[in-house]
Amino acid sequence: MHIHVLGAAAGGGFPQWNCNCFNCDGLRKGTIKASKRTQSSICVSGDGVNWVLFNASPDVLQQIQDFAPLQPGRNIRDSGIQAIVLIDAQIDHTTGLFMLREGKVKREIYCTDMVYEDLTSGNQILNILGYYCGINRHDVPIDGNTTFEIPSVPNLKFTAVALKSAAPPYSPHRNDPHPGDTIGVLIEEISTGRKCWYSPGLGEIEPHLPPLMCQADCIMVDGTFWTNTEMIDMGLMTKTARSIGHNPQSGEGGMIEKLNEFGNARKVLIHINNTNPILREDSAERAELTRYGIEVAYDGMDIIL
Ligand code: MLT
Ligand code: MN
Ligand code: ZN
């Protein structure tokens, strides 16, 4: 299985257009050791030719330009992207769909009922695509048992599960969480049995998750914030990380502690907010991750399982 990180940053990217935090300012000025990152997305293939895009980032056009296997190569209109799985309805994971509106072949969209509802009501993006390429929407089962396959992306199968999270700010049920607002996915390469767990938005590792996560050869999870109060401490937001669906890395019950329970799997943090000190390659926080064998995803990272 080939996993390619198209964008490793959380919403806003790194640096964020209007952000003057230590990291964003330092990256612009070249005074910190870090590299820029686009917004959250990966693509995965089981044959190296046909790819499933996980989330459609606002930066998707740049991401396609930076990864040749997704570019047209066979027909006058063509793409390596055969299907798109949406793990939630957040802006940073969906607005790239506007950029993928050209062509006569319908986009194959896989999402839960809750995400479909948000993307046809609070944010009408899937309705609007109907005026361009159109979509074929497929339901994603979230019982954690039912696997599904995507016919145009051979040699992969998927098991999705509901995660504790919050629907996007524009959602009619923002403050009334429903199963399927956010999912995690276990991706399996059929020919090899190799597996990757992917959950860029993960508020809490609830008891139903370890049985799926412990099967994975690689665990890619939410790396948004270092502390639960990161945005509050910086005066940028009044909400905690956990309350907006992102379990922080440090502290009791944090990602470092939780990931330690998953033995030998490769552990990778993704969807990293621009305020997070782990973006600085020489920070104490990055060194702590390294001590625990946890990697920080970057744009262009290839994981071959
Ligand atoms: C999130 O991951 O919490 C959201 O993408 C935040 C945002 O929309 O900026
Ligand atoms: Mn996000
Ligand atoms: Zn910033």
Side-chain angles (χ1 to χ4, degrees):
M1 169 166 29
H2 186 166
I3 301 149
H4 183 82
V5 175
L6 293 164
F14 179 46
Q16 179 175 311
W17 68 281
N18 65 345
C19 190
N20 203 23
C21 76
F22 185 80
N23 281 352
C24 289
D25 180 52
L27 185 68
R28 289 190 197 96
K29 290 184 174 147
T31 53
I32 61 167
K33 197 166 175 231
S35 55
K36 65 180 181 180
R37 284 166 169 81
T38 60
Q39 293 168 82
S40 181
S41 180
I42 64 170
C43 57
V44 184
S45 179
D47 65 3
V49 177
N50 300 291
W51 297 79
V52 54
L53 184 68
F54 275 86
N55 303 318
S57 149
D59 303 316
V60 67
L61 296 184
Q62 185 61 48
Q63 294 169 346
I64 292 169
Q65 280 189 36
D66 291 342
F67 189 52
L70 299 186
Q71 296 164 10
R74 297 161 292 196
N75 297 304
I76 182 75
R77 287 277 199 268
D78 183 36
S79 172
I81 300 169
Q82 299 294 348
I84 301 162
V85 176
L86 303 173
I87 68 107
D88 61 29
Q90 298 274 5
I91 296 287
D92 58 344
H93 285 152
T94 59
T95 44
L97 290 171
F98 279 132
M99 304 301 116
L100 304 178
R101 67 192 176 284
E102 290 92 355
K104 294 196 179 83
V105 180
K106 288 183 176 169
R107 297 296 92 85
E108 301 291 333
I109 309 278
Y110 290 74
C111 65
T112 65
D113 285 337
M114 292 321 298
V115 168
Y116 186 70
E117 191 178 305
D118 278 340
L119 296 179
T120 50
S121 59
N123 169 0
Q124 304 239 354
I125 192 164
L126 294 183
N127 295 340
I128 293 170
L129 278 186
Y131 294 95
Y132 299 87
C133 56
I135 67 161
N136 276 328
R137 184 257 167 162
H138 308 265
D139 187 28
V140 169
I142 51 170
D143 57 33
N145 290 313
T146 312
T147 62
F148 66 97
E149 293 185 32
I150 299 176
S152 53
V153 186
N155 199 25
L156 296 179
K157 66 180 183 187
F158 310 86
T159 313
V161 65
L163 305 180
K164 194 168 190 173
S165 66
Y170 67 78
S171 170
H173 64 278
R174 165 71 164 172
N175 298 313
D176 177 21
H178 287 64
D181 286 335
T182 301
I183 57 169
V185 185
L186 189 67
I187 311 160
E188 177 176 352
E189 185 172 66
I190 295 166
S191 59
T192 60
R194 306 281 281 172
K195 293 176 191 158
C196 176
W197 167 264
Y198 178 61
S199 56
L202 182 56
E204 185 184 327
I205 302 185
E206 296 176 276
H208 66 293
L209 301 185
L212 286 172
M213 292 173 70
C214 73
Q215 298 176 38
D217 302 285
C218 176
I219 296 177
M220 301 184 88
V221 292
D222 190 327
T224 313
F225 299 115
W226 178 253
T227 70
N228 191 37
T229 56
E230 189 164 314
M231 297 293 271
I232 298 172
D233 297 343
M234 296 176 86
L236 297 172
M237 204 193 265
T238 55
K239 292 184 170 152
T240 62
R242 287 191 176 95
S243 75
I244 59 165
H246 300 295
N247 192 37
Q249 283 103 61
S250 62
E252 203 183 326
M255 255 352 151
I256 296 175
E257 184 189 301
K258 292 290 175 187
L259 287 178
N260 219 20
E261 295 166 14
F262 295 99
N264 292 329
R266 191 168 170 185
K267 295 154 191 150
V268 181
L269 296 176
I270 192 159
H271 188 279
I272 302 145
N273 199 57
N274 55 71
T275 50
N276 194 326
I278 64 173
L279 287 167
R280 301 195 301 276
E281 290 157 30
D282 53 4
S283 67
E285 293 83 357
R286 175 69 79 92
E288 186 172 344
L289 290 183
T290 305
R291 273 200 303 283
Y292 282 92
I294 301 171
E295 300 169 64
V296 178
Y298 52 88
D299 288 21
M301 183 184 202
D302 283 304
I303 296 173
I304 313 287
L305 295 178

